[in-house]
Amino acid sequence: MTKFWSFFLKKRTFTVFLMGGLLAAGLYAVAVIPKEATPDISIPLGVVSTVLPGASASDVERLITDKIESGVLGVEHVSKVTSTSGDGISVVSVEFDASANIDKSIQLLKDAVDKVRPELPTEALTPTVSDVNFADQPILIVSVSGNLAPQELTALGESVSDELKRVPGVSKVSVSGVRDRQVQVVVRQAALRQYGLSLSDVTGALRSAGIASPAGSITVDGVNYGVRFESGILSPEAVGAVALAGPGGSTLHIRDVADVVDALEDPRTYSRVSVAGSPAEPSLTLTLYKSRGGNIVETGHAVEKKLKDLESSLLAGTHTVISYNGAEEVNESLTELTRAGIETVILVMLVLLFTLGWRESLVAAASIPLSFLVAFIGLLASGNTLNNVSLFSLILAIGILVDSGIVVVEAFHTRLLEYGNKQKAAVAAIREYAWPLIAGTFTTIVVFVPLFFLSGIVGKFLASIPFTIIFVLLASIFVALGFVPLLAMFFVRDTHSVIQDRQEKYNQRAKVWYQAFLHKLLNNAQDQKKFLITMGVLFVLALMLPSTGLLKSIFFPG
């Protein structure tokens, strides 16, 4: 093993070029690695939602839910089916085995729902099948307000939504706080009696025009009935011109017995915004979602740029407020990681400055960013992303990775004092500490390996922790034994100043005191007994903390 690591000392030019190449590759990996708030994990759950306008909960259960449940029970890998029926809506949740391929299972679920579709009432909207994903969270929530009428606000929401959907990385945009356009048919009861017609005659005439997509409603005595058309009849004039069989075979039209108006649906969502402390005013809210595997930071910045461009056209004369920005949260986490890394570097340098010297402190501190950049190459190559879980792992790993570099620098420093030759000191440091450092590093790695075998959603969610820490630890041992000795040979001098001689004097005093303390503790049976009893009591107390409830146990802090 000494020969392998000594190779990097002998081939200095190669080692320098290798170090430069890894630095460049690491910086590239940091720039291009996908960044997101949470890991992109698909939960083995499919949700079938079906709307039946105007139906009661019991009717929805009988006409929709029961039939869908029966149809999906035979889907492969289904472990549990639950449902909820409410007024006008049915929601069937289908849970799959943890080992199931979620994409394939969702497709099979869609196929099963399509087979059930002919059995559902014709008035029911087409069932929607969706899966659940941790990454399906909003990345931006934008509110737009201005002195606009409801119709103008609705039109603006549609136009801005269409523009934002074209931004690379945006998968969908939902609009709330607006009322969709609809055609309303207000039937005149007096006209129906005049021509001897009933409401069913009107709905039958409209139904004969075709049924598919929502178009509006019929209102009779304050009761709304949903109407849908498939043949493009969406204007009030076209609806009013629909033929209606009158008395004696005469031909009437819908406009003869009803008022057909182009209106807005009843509000289903409300959105208000206050800008700079002004009174809250009606607004529209745009909720944007990113594509799976996309970079939340790049997508967020692209959306912000698009909104800025739209301020001179579609959004002219309006106020735009970004109430939530997921990209900023990820950037703040990256900033926090950078801050923690810089603080660690400074602390390492301060400790080594007072114990070994400022040159040694620089060499040891340089191992931290080097190890991180090499680790990012592994994270990118393995398909991992930079998210809150992996960022937590990186912060956790900072305190671990620096140990190997410090040990090698201290060993080089000690052997340099003994031999007075940098090459001999570097080889001696590698020969004495290579195997202990490798053994210690792999012992720590083994602790995190079982996390790879966690099953279910929790296992997928935490998978980035062992990936990140193992890559960082492997990078740290490679940097400590491959690069740090060469850096020490470049930057550490074999001569000492007066201050360094004084440091060595104080270090020797501290070493003698510590040796005396250990000698006294280990050679005194009574002190040993007290020490072991104290450690045993503390161990038992530590185990009792979670079992007694004094230390709360939760999956993630609130």
Side-chain angles (χ1 to χ4, degrees):
M1 185 58 69
T2 303
K3 291 183 179 179
F4 174 77
W5 297 112
S6 297
F7 170 81
F8 295 100
L9 293 176
K10 296 176 182 177
K11 305 297 181 180
R12 298 185 183 183
T13 303
F14 167 79
T15 304
V16 171
F17 274 104
L18 177 62
M19 196 183 308
L22 290 175
L23 281 174
L27 291 172
Y28 172 79
V30 172
V32 303
I33 189 170
K35 302 173 182 66
E36 54 192 4
T38 56
D40 188 357
I41 300 173
S42 295
I43 300 175
L45 181 70
V47 180
V48 184
S49 302
T50 311
V51 175
L52 181 59
S56 63
S58 58
D59 289 338
V60 168
E61 182 177 12
R62 177 173 55 86
L63 299 173
I64 303 290
T65 306
D66 291 345
K67 294 180 180 180
I68 291 180
E69 281 184 345
S70 301
V72 302
L73 283 174
V75 175
E76 187 178 0
H77 294 299
V78 170
S79 62
K80 184 170 64 174
V81 177
T82 58
S83 63
T84 302
S85 300
D87 290 339
I89 187 168
S90 165
V91 178
V92 179
S93 300
V94 182
E95 185 175 335
F96 301 99
D97 296 331
S99 59
N101 183 314
I102 186 61
D103 294 330
K104 180 180 177 181
S105 297
I106 291 296
Q107 185 57 53
L108 292 175
L109 180 61
K110 291 180 178 179
D111 295 340
V113 172
D114 288 340
K115 293 179 181 178
V116 178
R117 179 72 182 93
E119 303 177 20
L120 303 181
T122 55
E123 294 81 6
L125 303 185
T126 302
T128 59
V129 180
S130 59
D131 60 342
V132 181
N133 191 291
F134 274 114
D136 288 336
Q137 302 293 329
I139 63 168
L140 277 169
I141 299 178
V142 183
S143 297
V144 180
S145 63
N147 188 19
L148 300 173
Q151 293 86 345
E152 295 175 315
L153 203 61
T154 299
L156 178 63
E158 293 176 354
S159 300
V160 175
S161 174
D162 291 340
E163 291 290 336
L164 295 180
K165 287 177 182 176
R166 298 190 181 100
V167 175
V170 175
S171 62
K172 66 177 179 178
V173 180
S174 63
V175 184
S176 58
V178 297
R179 298 159 62 186
D180 291 337
R181 171 185 171 271
Q182 69 173 198
V183 177
Q184 293 183 351
V185 180
V186 183
V187 178
R188 300 190 296 271
Q189 289 282 20
L192 288 180
R193 288 193 295 268
Q194 176 184 346
Y195 293 109
L197 301 175
S198 64
L199 178 61
S200 60
D201 295 324
V202 178
T203 57
L206 293 173
R207 187 176 293 112
S208 65
I211 301 175
S213 58
S217 63
I218 296 177
T219 302
V220 179
D221 294 336
V223 179
N224 290 332
Y225 300 87
V227 178
R228 295 179 294 160
F229 299 100
E230 68 177 5
S231 54
I233 302 178
L234 295 176
S235 67
E237 295 76 13
V239 174
V242 172
L244 181 65
S250 61
T251 301
L252 300 175
H253 298 89
I254 295 296
R255 59 175 175 266
D256 296 326
V257 296
D259 297 322
V260 184
V261 295
D262 193 353
L264 298 175
E265 68 177 3
D266 294 334
R268 291 181 293 179
T269 59
Y270 294 91
S271 175
R272 301 180 69 84
V273 66
S274 174
V275 180
S278 61
E281 56 183 358
S283 66
L284 65 90
T285 299
L286 301 159
T287 305
L288 293 89
Y289 300 81
K290 75 174 182 69
S291 304
R292 292 186 181 179
N295 190 320
I296 187 175
V297 176
E298 292 181 358
T299 304
H301 289 165
V303 171
E304 290 183 79
K305 183 178 182 300
K306 186 66 175 179
L307 289 172
K308 191 171 184 63
D309 294 339
L310 292 177
E311 288 179 358
S312 59
S313 55
L314 285 175
L315 296 177
T318 63
H319 299 286
T320 303
V321 177
I322 299 178
S323 54
Y324 170 76
N325 191 335
E328 287 187 358
E329 290 190 355
V330 174
N331 279 331
E332 288 175 2
S333 298
L334 290 173
T335 302
E336 183 69 16
L337 173 65
T338 305
R339 184 189 62 81
I342 293 174
E343 289 176 353
T344 303
V345 170
I346 293 174
L347 290 174
V348 168
M349 291 179 63
L350 288 176
V351 171
L352 295 182
L353 176 64
F354 289 109
T355 55
L356 300 179
W358 70 271
R359 293 179 181 273
E360 288 85 347
S361 68
L362 287 176
V363 173
S367 67
I368 298 176
L370 272 174
S371 300
F372 268 134
L373 291 175
V374 174
F376 272 112
I377 299 173
L379 288 174
L380 178 64
S382 60
N384 281 276
T385 63
L386 201 58
N387 52 67
N388 288 335
V389 178
S390 56
L391 286 173
F392 162 77
S393 305
L394 288 171
I395 294 175
L396 177 66
I398 288 179
I400 305 176
L401 69 89
V402 72
D403 294 342
S404 299
I406 292 176
V407 169
V408 172
V409 169
E410 194 280 334
F412 177 85
H413 176 82
T414 303
R415 295 296 170 262
L416 185 61
L417 292 176
E418 180 179 349
Y419 299 131
N421 182 280
K422 293 183 180 181
Q423 181 73 25
K424 289 183 178 181
V427 173
I430 293 173
R431 181 173 57 249
E432 293 181 24
Y433 287 96
W435 278 117
L437 287 176
I438 292 172
T441 300
F442 276 87
T443 300
T444 306
I445 288 175
V446 168
V447 173
F448 291 95
V449 168
L451 292 178
F452 283 119
F453 303 102
L454 288 176
S455 60
I457 299 172
V458 174
K460 295 178 181 179
F461 193 83
L462 299 180
S464 59
I465 293 180
F467 266 116
T468 304
I469 292 181
I470 288 174
F471 278 130
V472 170
L473 290 178
L474 291 176
S476 70
I477 195 66
F478 180 79
V479 169
L481 296 176
F483 295 156
V484 169
L486 184 61
L487 292 175
M489 291 177 62
F490 285 157
F491 294 104
V492 178
R493 291 181 178 178
D494 50 8
T495 58
H496 296 86
S497 63
V498 177
I499 296 178
Q500 289 176 315
D501 290 336
R502 188 175 301 170
Q503 282 180 329
E504 293 300 327
K505 181 179 179 181
Y506 290 143
N507 290 340
Q508 187 63 29
R509 288 181 181 178
K511 180 180 179 181
V512 171
W513 175 86
Y514 186 60
Q515 286 177 336
F517 170 76
L518 291 179
H519 182 77
K520 179 182 177 182
L521 178 64
L522 297 177
N523 285 343
N524 190 311
Q526 187 175 2
D527 289 342
Q528 290 181 32
K529 185 176 180 180
K530 291 179 181 179
F531 175 77
L532 293 175
I533 292 175
T534 302
M535 295 301 296
V537 171
L538 291 175
F539 178 72
V540 173
L541 289 176
L543 293 179
M544 290 176 61
L545 286 176
S547 60
T548 57
L550 295 176
L551 182 64
K552 303 296 183 181
S553 300
I554 57 175
F555 186 62
F556 276 113

